């Protein structure tokens, strides 16, 4: 018998603990991605002098592997006197990487706002800040919630990369369990099953949100 | 089974079609003779297009049998009973029928000539030079000899529709179905397509079934008019009779509405 | 989206930067090793992309037109490989598969995982592109009495392919980025070489700057390649106004 239920049940609580770290990294990373992404998107609207370097940064981050970016933050920042623990470096890398994806999503949302909304705001003499805060963003953000949700799931699925800098999330814990007992079948399969379950649940949730938004935003 | 001119080319027997709970064709009995030209008219949603689509096997039927040259289209006789046919039977009988669509449905990635060669080569197994010859002849017939190597996007709507007619004819069908073939065209392009259909009617022994809103053309071209209303034929007859002296009140209403609009 | 010209400028700039840096100390010392690693990365990305296209097209066709059991199998494959993480899949094939008596070489594990993972996403692209071909095209092909195989091969797929090219381009970039994971199963790709050199020389900034630039250059080259293919394909397919 290849699969040992006794062993699987024994390690499940340990993996449960690790899952908490995984979820923490996911939520913190995504919070950063959502905020930084919006900043990128708005910066890109502020004329070529700002837009160009931001676009270059986005292109660089989107075109290179997350794993290298994790290493970069973890190994390079200390050279500049900023020493981060592995978890923080990992969350920052996840957040930066996915901020570039979120920026594209926000951009699409912002571009979908009719020009008349901007013109009406100018006609009412609203400041740029007020226009963004009260007029543009409240219309631009709800429709982009589902695509942002998809990136939340994508980010979640990339958290195992943090195992490369020894963050004790699900994958690293599974590897340690495997190397201790020389049984990899149960830990890695369980991790896979946990990811699959959580992804399917989140995908279903996103569909719900999408449907709810679809009802609200029928024009 | 003997096939003579007396056997209807197409016969609908008790044909029913439903979408969910909505019955769009309700026990239709309808026969079309060899070489007959029939125009189907009626308000939108009356089921006339569905009749063509069922005959082309684009819609499954929910009851009844369609016969083509005395042979069931979607069924085969086995042990005296009619059972649903397999794909091979369907393809053999379907080969007798050709269709021209409202929105042309040309293949955008092929030139006019290639559009007309594709099916003869892949379906009928014609060698390339023969298919090209046949396609060129037909394009010439519809007045597009000079547009052979144009892609659909480079042709006007009327030209596209004429290519579509040539494409259907290249399969040498015995029955041609025309589904509102001029409805998507700008008014000034309608004439060129109708002229091609006139020519076809005069030069070939084709059975034709057309759904149309061109009452003038129907009157002049068709041997018989069938007026559809709510999935049934309300009235049918020879054009002179039908247009000159409609018996049914609904027909009169419909004719008043469309003729006034012109 | 950036225009092809600015991408070309960026590619030229990053290549010039790599070339310039590699002639100066201390970058020069690392260059041969990194080039070797980059070559491995490119090979894995190429074979992985090829497999991804194969798996993607096969799974999409199976899911759309296969017999029922095959349809379920395709569906399960797509859900499982999209629903779990690429690294988990990589480790599963690397650490767990041998317990089932199947020991594959690391290179095989690498290209197989990347192909299967990206192929699952690709299957959805293929399915969407086929679904986007107007219904009239199917109907016209039916009216011309073609078989389903003939319709797919001659009419539907040639039109669907054009719509597939840009999203496949994005997937190839994702695949290139995911190749870095194979460094974690002992393959000496670019990421592995970077790590190895980092541990022996501690020239962290130099090494990782070069590595990022090399990945960037490969990504941009893929983008340019896909744009050119897209342009050629859409010129070949003169799209009609027909619905």
């Amino acid at each position: 018998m290849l699969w040992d239920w006794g062993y699987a049940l024994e390690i499940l609580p340990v993996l449960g603990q690790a899952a908490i770290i995984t979820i923490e990294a996911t939520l913190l990373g995504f919070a950063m991605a959502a905020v930084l992404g919006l900043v990128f998107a708005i910066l890109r609207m502020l004329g070529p002098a700002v837009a160009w370097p931001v676009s270059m940064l986005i292109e660089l981050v989107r075109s290179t592997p997350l794993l290298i970016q994790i290493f970069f933050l973890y190994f390079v920042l200390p050279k500049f006197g900023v020493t981060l623990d592995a978890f923080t470096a990992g969350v920052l890398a996840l957040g930066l990487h996915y901020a570039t994806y979120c920026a594209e999503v926000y951009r699409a949302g912002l571009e979908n706002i009719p020009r008349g909304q901007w013109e009406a705001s100018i006609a009412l003499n609203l400041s740029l800040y007020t226009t963004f805060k009260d007029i543009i963003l409240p219309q631009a953000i709800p429709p982009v919630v589902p695509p942002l949700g998809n990136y939340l799931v994508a980010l979640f699925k990339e958290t195992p990369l943090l195992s490369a800098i020894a963050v004790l999330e699900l994958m690293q814990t599974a590897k340690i369990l495997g190397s201790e007992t020389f049984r990899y079948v149960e830990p890695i399969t369980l991790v896979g099953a946990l990811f699959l379950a959580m992804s399917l649940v989140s995908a279903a949730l996103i569909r719900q949100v999408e449907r709810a938004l679809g009802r609200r935003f029928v024009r | 089974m003997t096939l003579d001119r007396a056997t209807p080319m197409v016969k609908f027997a008790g044909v029913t079609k439903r979408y969910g709970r909505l019955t769009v064709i309700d026990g239709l009995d309808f026969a079309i003779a060899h070489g007959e030209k029939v125009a189907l008219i009626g308000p939108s949603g009356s089921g006339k297009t569905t009749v063509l689509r069922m005959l082309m096997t684009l819609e499954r039927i929910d009851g009844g049998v369609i016969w083509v040259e005395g042979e069931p289209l979607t069924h085969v006789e086995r042990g005296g009973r009619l059972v649903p046919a397999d794909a091979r039977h369907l393809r053999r009988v379907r080969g007798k029928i050709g269709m021209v669509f409202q929105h042309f449905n040309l293949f955008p990635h092929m030139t006019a000539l290639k559009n007309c060669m594709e099916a003869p080569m892949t379906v009928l197994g014609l060698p390339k030079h023969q298919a090209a010859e046949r396609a060129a002849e037909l394009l010439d017939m519809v007045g597009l000899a000079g547009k052979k190597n144009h892609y659909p996007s480079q042709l006007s709507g009327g030209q596209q529709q004429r290519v579509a007619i040539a494409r259907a004819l290249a399969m040498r069908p015995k029955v041609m179905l025309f589904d509102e073939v001029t409805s998507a065209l700008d008014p000034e392009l309608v004439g060129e397509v109708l002229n091609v259909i006139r020519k076809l009617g005069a030069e070939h022994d084709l059975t034709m079934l057309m759904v149309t809103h061109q009452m003038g053309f129907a009157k002049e071209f068709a041997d018989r008019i069938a007026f559809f209303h709510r999935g049934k034929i309300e009235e049918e007859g020879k054009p002179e009779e039908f247009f000159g002296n409609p018996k049914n009140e609904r027909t009169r209403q419909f004719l008043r509405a469309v003729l006034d609009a012109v | 989206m950036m225009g092809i010209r600015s991408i070309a400028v960026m590619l030229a700039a990053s290549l010039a930067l790599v070339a310039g840096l590699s002639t100066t100390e201390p970058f020069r010392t690392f260059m041969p090793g990194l080039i070797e690693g980059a070559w491995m990365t490119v090979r894995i990305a190429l074979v992985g992309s090829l497999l991804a296209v194969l798996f993607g097209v096969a799974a999409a066709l199976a899911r759309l037109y296969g017999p029922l059991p095959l349809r379920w199998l395709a569906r399960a494959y797509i859900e499982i490989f999209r629903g779990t993480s690429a690294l988990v899949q990589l480790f599963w094939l690397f650490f767990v598969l041998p317990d089932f008596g199947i020991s594959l070489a690391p290179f095989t594990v690498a290209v197989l995982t990347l192909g299967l993972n990206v192929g699952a996403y690709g299957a959805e692209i293929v399915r969407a592109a086929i679904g986007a071909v107007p219904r009239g095209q199917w109907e016209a092909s039916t009216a011309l009495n073609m078989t389903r195989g003939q319709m797919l091969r001659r009419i539907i797929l040639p039109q669907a392919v054009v719509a597939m090219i840009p999203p496949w381009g994005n997937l190839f970039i994702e695949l290139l980025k995911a190749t870095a994971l194979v460094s974690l199963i002992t393959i000496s790709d670019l990421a592995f070489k970077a790590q190895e050199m980092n541990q022996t020389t501690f020239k962290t900034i130099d090494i990782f700057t070069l590595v990022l630039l090399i990945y960037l250059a490969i990504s941009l080259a893929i983008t340019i390649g896909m744009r050119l293919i897209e342009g050629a394909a859409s010129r070949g397919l003169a799209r009609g106004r027909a619905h």
Side-chain angles (χ1 to χ4, degrees):
Chain A
M1 178 67 182
L2 260 169
W3 180 268
D4 182 348
W5 276 109
Y7 178 56
L9 284 176
E10 191 187 313
I11 58 173
L12 206 53
V14 187
L15 290 175
Q17 284 292 318
I20 294 175
I21 306 281
T22 291
I23 291 171
E24 273 175 13
T26 305
L27 294 179
L28 287 171
F30 189 71
M32 177 177 160
V35 173
L36 191 60
L38 184 58
V39 173
F40 283 158
I42 293 174
L43 284 177
R44 277 177 129 180
M45 298 175 77
L46 299 179
V50 188
W52 201 73
V54 173
S55 297
M56 295 293 263
L57 178 69
I58 289 177
E59 191 65 36
L60 175 66
V61 173
R62 276 185 74 134
S63 306
T64 54
L66 175 59
L67 185 65
I68 304 288
Q69 291 160 15
I70 292 172
F71 287 149
F72 192 86
L73 289 184
Y74 189 56
F75 295 125
V76 173
L77 283 185
K79 305 260 168 184
F80 294 101
V82 188
T83 307
L84 300 171
D85 61 277
F87 181 83
T88 314
V91 166
L92 285 179
L94 282 169
L96 175 67
H97 195 82
Y98 277 89
T100 61
Y101 288 88
C102 292
E104 288 295 317
V105 172
Y106 286 122
R107 179 163 73 158
L110 289 167
E111 279 173 358
N112 276 337
I113 302 295
R115 250 165 63 111
Q117 295 292 308
W118 292 95
E119 291 172 354
S121 306
I122 293 169
L124 292 169
N125 214 6
L126 301 180
S127 72
L128 189 61
Y129 175 73
T130 315
T131 304
F132 263 111
K133 185 171 73 73
D134 294 342
I135 311 298
I136 304 301
L137 292 184
Q139 297 183 70
I141 291 189
V144 301
V145 168
L148 287 180
N150 289 332
Y151 283 128
L152 170 64
V153 178
L155 184 150
F156 165 65
K157 283 183 291 191
E158 297 231 57
T159 54
L161 268 65
L162 302 192
S163 66
I165 52 171
V167 175
L168 280 171
E169 46 63 69
L170 272 171
M171 193 71 245
Q172 180 67 3
T173 309
K175 263 178 75 185
I176 292 173
L177 286 169
S179 61
E180 278 170 356
T181 58
F182 297 103
R183 288 199 64 89
Y184 284 100
V185 183
E186 294 84 0
I188 296 185
T189 309
L190 279 175
V191 169
L194 282 172
F195 269 99
L196 183 60
M198 289 194 265
S199 300
L200 290 177
V201 170
S202 345
L205 278 176
I206 292 167
R207 268 199 296 277
Q208 288 288 325
V209 172
E210 214 161 2
R211 217 166 297 151
L213 287 169
R215 275 197 296 275
R216 246 186 80 198
F217 283 86
V218 177
R219 289 184 207 186
Chain B
M1 202 179 306
T2 54
L3 283 180
D4 49 58
R5 303 288 290 191
T7 310
M9 187 70 217
V10 175
K11 194 173 96 186
F12 293 82
V15 172
T16 298
K17 171 73 191 171
R18 282 183 283 269
Y19 291 115
R21 276 153 71 199
L22 180 74
T23 302
V24 286
I25 296 294
D26 191 3
L28 177 71
D29 292 307
F30 187 34
I32 298 115
H34 263 271
E36 197 182 10
K37 280 107 181 114
V38 182
L40 312 184
I41 65 171
S44 61
S46 59
K48 50 199 191 314
T49 287
T50 307
V51 171
L52 301 195
R53 293 175 57 85
M54 289 189 305
L55 181 53
M56 195 67 258
T57 68
L58 297 174
E59 305 282 353
R60 279 185 39 192
I61 61 177
D62 298 308
V65 180
I66 300 173
W67 302 80
V68 177
E69 280 193 308
E71 192 176 21
L73 168 66
T74 54
H75 298 73
V76 280
E77 280 181 288
R78 197 168 295 148
R81 288 208 343 240
L82 288 176
V83 294
D86 59 0
R88 257 180 72 193
H89 172 89
L90 210 63
R91 293 192 69 225
R92 193 170 54 75
V93 183
R94 187 160 56 203
K96 300 176 179 177
I97 304 166
M99 183 163 179
V100 183
F101 298 85
Q102 180 178 359
H103 294 289
F104 333 134
N105 295 348
L106 290 181
F107 304 134
H109 57 305
M110 297 179 184
T111 60
L113 192 75
K114 283 272 161 58
N115 260 283
C116 299
M117 290 167 64
E118 178 63 27
M121 283 167 67
T122 56
V123 178
L124 306 179
L126 243 58
K128 195 173 175 182
H129 66 274
Q130 226 171 322
E133 208 174 298
R134 184 186 286 192
E137 246 167 58
L138 286 164
L139 285 175
D140 189 29
M141 201 268 286
V142 300
L144 290 173
K147 303 282 183 186
K148 273 196 303 205
N149 298 319
H150 286 52
Y151 283 92
S153 59
Q154 298 165 315
L155 299 174
S156 75
Q159 292 169 334
Q160 288 191 53
Q161 195 59 297
R162 285 188 277 155
V163 174
I165 293 172
R167 179 177 73 174
L169 288 174
M171 296 299 281
R172 301 271 152 92
K174 296 184 171 178
V175 183
M176 278 286 276
L177 310 179
F178 296 90
D179 183 15
E180 299 195 29
V181 293
T182 56
S183 296
L185 298 179
D186 292 333
E188 74 273 19
L189 302 177
V190 169
E192 61 187 66
V193 173
L194 294 183
N195 280 338
V196 168
I197 298 177
R198 273 191 199 100
K199 195 167 157 195
L200 263 184
E203 292 174 7
H204 297 263
D205 186 29
L206 272 169
T207 306
M208 295 192 197
L209 209 52
M210 61 188 69
V211 169
T212 183
H213 294 297
Q214 304 280 333
M215 293 302 145
F217 180 71
K219 190 174 176 180
E220 155 222 327
F221 183 75
D223 302 317
R224 182 155 54 117
I225 312 283
F227 173 67
F228 271 76
H229 185 81
R230 297 208 176 155
K232 284 188 161 154
I233 298 179
E234 280 282 336
E235 181 169 357
E236 58 178 318
K238 293 205 175 305
E240 316 83 71
E241 248 170 68
F242 181 89
F243 286 104
N245 182 22
K247 311 220 167 16
N248 188 297
E249 177 53 32
R250 286 217 184 82
T251 317
R252 277 195 290 258
Q253 266 176 22
F254 175 76
L255 288 178
R256 254 198 312 275
V258 291
L259 294 177
D260 279 354
V262 175
Chain C
M1 200 166 36
M2 286 184 148
I4 193 163
R5 201 163 300 163
S6 37
I7 297 173
V9 170
M10 258 181 103
L11 174 58
S14 50
L15 284 176
L17 215 54
V18 172
L21 288 176
S22 63
T23 57
T24 59
E25 281 303 340
F27 293 102
R28 185 157 49 184
T29 350
F30 310 125
M31 221 38 212
L34 291 183
I35 294 282
E36 213 176 290
W39 175 229
M40 176 59 94
T41 293
V42 168
R43 269 165 52 206
I44 290 178
L46 280 178
V47 181
S49 299
L50 198 70
L51 289 176
V53 173
L54 284 178
F55 291 139
V57 173
L61 292 180
R63 189 172 167 187
L64 285 170
Y65 309 113
L68 212 52
L70 201 60
R71 230 178 267 194
W72 285 335
L73 191 70
R75 180 101 199 249
Y77 154 64
I78 293 168
E79 292 293 340
I80 288 174
F81 277 86
R82 277 160 46 105
T84 60
S85 154
L87 187 59
V88 177
Q89 292 154 22
L90 190 71
F91 282 172
W92 205 91
L93 263 69
F94 189 71
F95 289 112
V96 178
L97 216 49
D99 284 354
F100 291 89
I102 307 169
S103 287
L104 303 172
F107 185 88
T108 313
V109 169
V111 293
L112 204 58
T113 309
L114 293 171
L116 284 167
N117 180 276
V118 175
Y121 290 91
E124 294 297 273
I125 290 175
V126 174
R127 196 164 70 105
I130 290 177
V133 174
R135 220 167 54 121
Q137 296 292 311
W138 291 97
E139 294 185 346
S141 316
T142 307
L144 293 170
N145 217 355
M146 296 186 189
T147 62
R148 187 130 79 173
Q150 289 168 338
M151 293 180 205
L152 262 179
R153 260 198 330 276
R154 310 279 310 175
I155 308 300
I156 305 300
L157 286 179
Q159 296 181 59
V161 160
V162 178
M164 287 180 208
I165 295 171
W168 270 109
N170 291 339
L171 277 191
F172 291 149
I173 303 234
E174 293 300 322
L175 190 144
L176 168 73
K177 286 156 64 181
T179 57
L181 303 183
V182 307
S183 65
L184 304 174
I185 57 165
T186 72
I187 295 178
S188 341
D189 73 328
L190 189 50
F192 185 92
K193 289 280 182 193
Q195 268 274 59
E196 192 184 55
M197 288 176 183
N198 182 42
Q199 275 156 13
T200 51
T201 65
F202 298 104
K203 297 279 186 196
T204 311
I205 300 174
D206 310 334
I207 293 166
F208 281 106
T209 305
L210 265 182
V211 165
L212 281 174
L213 284 171
I214 296 174
Y215 275 114
L216 177 66
I218 303 174
S219 277
L220 295 172
I222 294 176
T223 306
I224 292 176
M226 293 304 286
R227 292 278 179 92
L228 293 178
I229 293 174
E230 190 194 344
S234 44
R235 269 195 303 280
L237 178 104
R239 286 209 73 94
R241 279 166 290 179
H243 294 234

